[in-house]
Amino acid sequence: MKVNTETILLHPKGKIESYTLDNEAGFSVTLLNYGGRLTAINVPDRDGFSENVVLNLENIDGYLADQAYFGALVGPVAGRIRNGKWKAHQLTQNQFPHHIHGGGAGFHQQIWHSVPFVTEEECGIQLSLVLPDGTDGYPGELQLRATYTITKNQELKLEMVGSSNQETLFNPTNHAYFNLSGNGKEKISTHILQIASDQVAELDHEKIPTGRLMDVEGTNFDFQSPKLLARQFFKQPQGYDDAFKLKHKEGQPQLYLADPKSKRKMEITTSEESVVVFTTTNMDENYVVCNQKMSSHLGIAIEPQGLPDAVHHSNFQSILLQPGIPKKHQTIYQFGLIDE
Ligand code: G6D
């Protein structure tokens, strides 16, 4: 196990570094301390050939200008908060009139303090950050720790811990866009997706939950058995940007994504109540991702988190962070090959 460090840019706000965590057996993860962004997860395919299974931008300028959270840690609260309102607090209305993904000074554009570590079985990076009281309207000084760890066994673990000196909100996620074909060779339509979820949050026309949880059985949101995405996009041309409420069963992952051609698979196990799945449908943009123009269905963002806009729905799990009581979120991404 080893960690390589590369200095990318001396930015006025601090040194931007890139770290590569390497299990020395074909599995490696590269991330920036800027936004804690995953820029590469290299995973062997059926022939043992390692390629990147997350979408990345061309260079650091791309990340500094990014509006779509490529690979980023997102928070303090992922997703939309209606009108940016919580109790008497007004959060930044960065998707006017709503608040989205932590606002203007969210996790994704902070330079985190970073410390690499290596043991015999694992290696990783511990990132830390303090967001001052009142940042983007959130009360309390928020102390954060985000730890990325890889194992010999092709696991990537992300643990995020938040604590505050006042009652505040905490619902972070990671916003990597996956494409298991490797370096964005194929569209995600070729992928198979399964989610341990029998309910999806009903959304209004602004993509904000109404509070109703709808049964997925027999609908286009039913991923309880493995589904080919191409077939789902045919039935649901607008794609998916939806929050699935997860079922947790000891020892079982909540999400399975596979690419039959390369035979790569990923299983996600999370402590969180839901997963937001965003299929990049119609995301035809003028920037370069994995050496090509960003286009519809190039990646799938998988964002484990509490249900969005939870502050306005008493039937959603609370995302309150109480003073002096740290809260931990954990997600494990397990990579491997489809069994024949
Ligand atoms: C998020 O749910 C949102 C999308 O609506 C948004 O477009 C994307 O981030 C960039 O996942």
Side-chain angles (χ1 to χ4, degrees):
M1 309 296 291
K2 67 171 183 203
V3 179
N4 283 332
T5 307
E6 192 189 341
T7 299
I8 301 293
L9 182 73
L10 297 173
H11 188 273
K13 288 190 180 156
K15 203 197 303 182
I16 300 184
E17 313 248 42
S18 172
Y19 294 96
T20 298
L21 320 177
D22 193 341
N23 84 343
E24 300 178 287
F27 178 63
S28 68
V29 171
T30 304
L31 65 115
L32 298 169
N33 63 346
Y34 175 68
R37 289 164 184 260
L38 294 169
T39 58
I41 301 179
N42 290 304
V43 183
D45 69 359
R46 60 196 299 174
D47 301 317
F49 186 57
S50 282
E51 287 170 308
N52 184 7
V53 299
V54 289
L55 300 187
N56 59 16
L57 298 171
E58 261 190 309
N59 51 36
I60 190 64
D61 292 340
Y63 284 101
L64 291 168
D66 169 45
Q67 304 281 318
Y69 312 90
F70 277 85
L73 297 178
V74 168
V77 176
R80 294 167 178 83
I81 298 180
R82 191 179 295 280
N83 297 321
K85 275 267 179 221
W86 169 51
K87 293 186 175 172
H89 305 285
Q90 180 63 64
L91 309 176
T92 311
Q93 293 162 291
N94 57 322
Q95 191 170 86
F96 196 80
H98 311 299
H99 176 83
I100 188 168
H101 289 335
F107 297 1
H108 63 291
Q109 38 199 5
Q110 298 287 336
I111 299 177
W112 295 60
H113 178 69
S114 42
V115 181
F117 58 89
V118 181
T119 68
E120 208 154 282
E121 298 299 318
E122 302 183 330
C123 65
I125 299 291
Q126 190 172 101
L127 301 169
S128 53
L129 180 69
V130 178
L131 286 182
D133 183 9
T135 305
D136 277 297
Y138 289 96
E141 180 185 89
L142 184 59
Q143 305 230 10
L144 298 156
R145 213 165 15 88
T147 311
Y148 284 106
T149 308
I150 69 159
T151 65
K152 287 192 164 159
N153 188 26
Q154 299 197 164
E155 268 173 314
L156 169 64
K157 296 191 261 185
L158 171 60
E159 188 182 285
M160 285 188 268
V161 182
S163 56
S164 179
N165 54 3
Q166 288 181 45
E167 185 186 61
T168 192
L169 303 177
F170 187 56
N171 183 20
T173 193
N174 173 283
H175 202 289
Y177 295 90
F178 293 91
N179 182 327
L180 300 180
S181 72
N183 302 335
K185 267 200 302 297
E186 315 268 350
K187 295 283 179 137
I188 52 146
S189 327
T190 61
H191 286 34
I192 285 161
L193 177 66
Q194 183 174 10
I195 311 174
S197 164
D198 55 11
Q199 288 185 311
V200 67
E202 180 184 65
L203 304 180
D204 69 7
H205 67 286
E206 292 180 296
K207 297 189 175 181
I208 302 180
T210 61
R212 217 179 122 212
L213 293 169
M214 300 184 303
D215 291 342
V216 300
E217 194 73 42
T219 73
N220 294 344
F221 298 91
D222 189 349
F223 288 92
Q224 295 176 97
S225 58
K227 297 281 164 69
L228 177 68
L229 285 177
R231 209 166 293 147
Q232 295 302 117
F233 295 148
F234 183 72
K235 295 192 279 186
Q236 171 96 358
Q238 69 275 37
Y240 298 87
D241 190 0
D242 289 279
F244 294 84
K245 184 171 173 175
L246 296 171
K247 296 203 284 191
H248 290 85
K249 246 197 212 151
E250 188 62 34
Q252 280 184 25
Q254 282 82 42
L255 185 142
Y256 168 86
L257 184 71
D259 167 41
K261 197 166 169 193
S262 68
K263 296 226 179 297
R264 291 189 184 98
K265 69 170 183 184
M266 172 176 75
E267 288 169 342
I268 294 183
T269 306
T270 182
S271 56
E272 295 313 293
E273 186 186 21
S274 77
V275 65
V276 170
V277 171
F278 171 50
T279 54
T280 70
T281 309
N282 299 323
M283 209 166 143
D284 289 296
E285 309 286 344
N286 277 326
Y287 48 76
V288 172
V289 169
C290 291
N291 298 315
Q292 59 193 289
K293 193 181 146 326
M294 179 64 200
S295 61
S296 184
H297 297 156
L298 193 54
I300 178 170
I302 298 173
E303 312 160 44
Q305 59 186 84
L307 281 163
D309 199 34
V311 291
H312 296 126
H313 307 290
S314 55
N315 55 331
F316 293 2
Q317 256 172 35
S318 167
I319 59 161
L320 289 186
L321 183 63
Q322 297 298 350
I325 307 176
K327 231 179 175 180
K328 180 163 101 179
H329 288 220
Q330 198 193 47
T331 296
I332 300 172
Y333 307 83
Q334 171 76 66
F335 295 90
L337 293 174
I338 306 172
D339 308 322
E340 307 250 24

